[in-house]
Amino acid sequence: MLPRFALVLLLCTATVYAEPVVFSVRELAVEYTPFSVIAQPGELLELPLLSGSLAMATVLSNDPNVDTTLSEEALQVSVPDIPGFYPLSLRLENGDSLEINLFVTVPATAIDDELLNGYRMGPSPPGHHRFPELYHAPVGFIEVTEELLDTPLSPHFTLRQFLCKQHSEYPKYIALKESLLVLLEGLLAAVRERGYPAQTFGVISGYRTPWYNKKIGNVANSRHVYGDAMDLYIDVDGDRNMDDLDGDGDQDLQDVVLLAEIADQYMRRPGNALIFGGVGRYGKTSRHGGFVHVDTRGYAARW
């Protein structure tokens, strides 16, 4: 029989360390806030609860067009028919809140003569004859206005970081998959575990329209045109170049190799099958420093 003080300690521990609320988004376990969901107009969105409790929880929205249903097992969202940004806040019984950024996309069918509301998109991606199920052309695009640029998509990444670098007026449009956000947050945590105190990644390239992708001479089937790739580097010192990760006094390819190894090891952890994909290494050029490419294509590609 446990002494009385031990029983009190156990009860207090159970109260303090309650299970965090974790939802499944497109079968991905999302363990952070805010998190983003990219949906099609009119979609019925089901977010099953993986852990934690929704007892006494409430959903708050500033838009009457967003209908939500909360049960003990899931959050269900009836997505509005009008594309746009719809922030939701889930208030939990203990007073904590979980922020959900719902983006309703502009359908790809709205592209006319390779333009979307005046924004040059180019032709649809070609797909892949060996992996057709992994190379679906984007069905919708997030409309990005200047006011939305610094909207957080996850704790350490904003909408601005995913924009295509082609010059144009606003609005601009991007394709984005939730799998990339989950990968980036997990990879950043792995980087920090290795002793590099990065708050986010420096970005060479996020989404690319097929038009811009062709303009810079990249292959037509680049994962960047599918919305699940980023070219990134660690930049704790803020000089817009890959940091000297190995401490040898040089910012060189060895630092790129080190980050690529961290990315490969992270993707291969148990439970990461849905964010598994490509890792590429690129040395510095006259235009930018070295970087690592990551994507969630669904099979191993290393270069």
Side-chain angles (χ1 to χ4, degrees), residues 8-21 51-53 94 96:
V8 172
L9 178 61
L10 288 173
L11 288 173
C12 290
T13 302
T15 301
V16 173
Y17 294 103
E19 255 193 318
V21 170
S51 75
S53 172
N94 64 3
D96 291 343

Side-chain angles (χ1 to χ4, degrees), residues 59-69 76-81 85-88 102 104:
V59 182
L60 304 178
S61 172
N62 293 326
D63 196 303
N65 294 310
V66 182
D67 291 327
T68 61
T69 302
Q76 190 177 80
V77 182
S78 296
V79 177
D81 293 324
F85 172 51
Y86 298 87
L88 304 173
L102 172 64
V104 183

Side-chain angles (χ1 to χ4, degrees), residues 211-224:
W211 176 83
Y212 181 78
N213 188 65
K214 181 179 180 180
K215 180 182 177 182
I216 64 174
N218 213 318
V219 296
N221 242 359
S222 166
R223 293 306 302 191
H224 290 273

Side-chain angles (χ1 to χ4, degrees), residues 4 10-11 47-48 51 61 93 96 98 102 115 119 127 136 166-167 169 179 191 193 211 218 225 249 253 261 265 272:
R4 183 176 300 174
L10 288 173
L11 288 173
L47 304 178
S51 75
S61 172
E93 183 181 13
D96 291 343
L98 193 155
L102 172 64
L115 298 173
Y119 186 70
H136 289 296
Q166 70 188 58
H167 295 292
E169 301 296 324
S179 59
V191 163
E193 289 171 7
W211 176 83
N218 213 318
V225 304
L253 186 60
E261 289 175 349
Q265 292 167 9
N272 282 350

Side-chain angles (χ1 to χ4, degrees), residues 71-107:
S71 68
E72 293 183 1
E73 295 82 25
L75 170 63
Q76 190 177 80
V77 182
S78 296
V79 177
D81 293 324
I82 302 172
F85 172 51
Y86 298 87
L88 304 173
S89 183
L90 180 66
R91 299 294 172 86
L92 304 176
E93 183 181 13
N94 64 3
D96 291 343
S97 63
L98 193 155
E99 308 303 322
I100 306 169
N101 288 336
L102 172 64
F103 291 91
V104 183
T105 58
V106 177

Side-chain angles (χ1 to χ4, degrees), residues 29-171:
V30 177
E31 303 181 12
Y32 50 75
T33 180
F35 70 83
S36 295
V37 183
I38 297 94
Q40 301 176 55
E43 181 179 352
L44 183 60
L45 191 64
E46 187 85 12
L47 304 178
L49 182 69
L50 298 181
S51 75
S53 172
L54 296 178
M56 305 299 292
T58 57
V59 182
L60 304 178
S61 172
N62 293 326
D63 196 303
N65 294 310
V66 182
D67 291 327
T68 61
T69 302
L70 196 61
S71 68
E72 293 183 1
E73 295 82 25
L75 170 63
Q76 190 177 80
V77 182
S78 296
V79 177
D81 293 324
I82 302 172
F85 172 51
Y86 298 87
L88 304 173
S89 183
L90 180 66
R91 299 294 172 86
L92 304 176
E93 183 181 13
N94 64 3
D96 291 343
S97 63
L98 193 155
E99 308 303 322
I100 306 169
N101 288 336
L102 172 64
F103 291 91
V104 183
T105 58
V106 177
T109 54
I111 296 175
D112 183 26
D113 195 24
E114 300 186 0
L115 298 173
L116 182 55
N117 194 20
Y119 186 70
R120 188 183 294 273
M121 300 297 293
S124 181
H128 197 297
H129 70 283
R130 289 181 57 200
F131 306 105
E133 72 283 3
L134 301 179
Y135 282 79
H136 289 296
V139 298
F141 300 88
I142 296 173
E143 183 173 274
V144 183
T145 63
E146 287 186 272
E147 293 75 22
L148 288 179
L149 284 176
D150 294 317
T151 301
L153 300 182
S154 64
H156 300 95
F157 298 91
T158 65
L159 196 53
R160 183 190 300 270
Q161 291 171 285
F162 298 84
L163 279 183
C164 182
K165 291 187 174 180
Q166 70 188 58
H167 295 292
S168 74
E169 301 296 324
Y170 288 90

Side-chain angles (χ1 to χ4, degrees), residues 200-214:
T200 188
F201 289 121
V203 179
I204 297 292
S205 185
Y207 172 66
R208 296 183 198 143
T209 64
W211 176 83
Y212 181 78
N213 188 65
K214 181 179 180 180

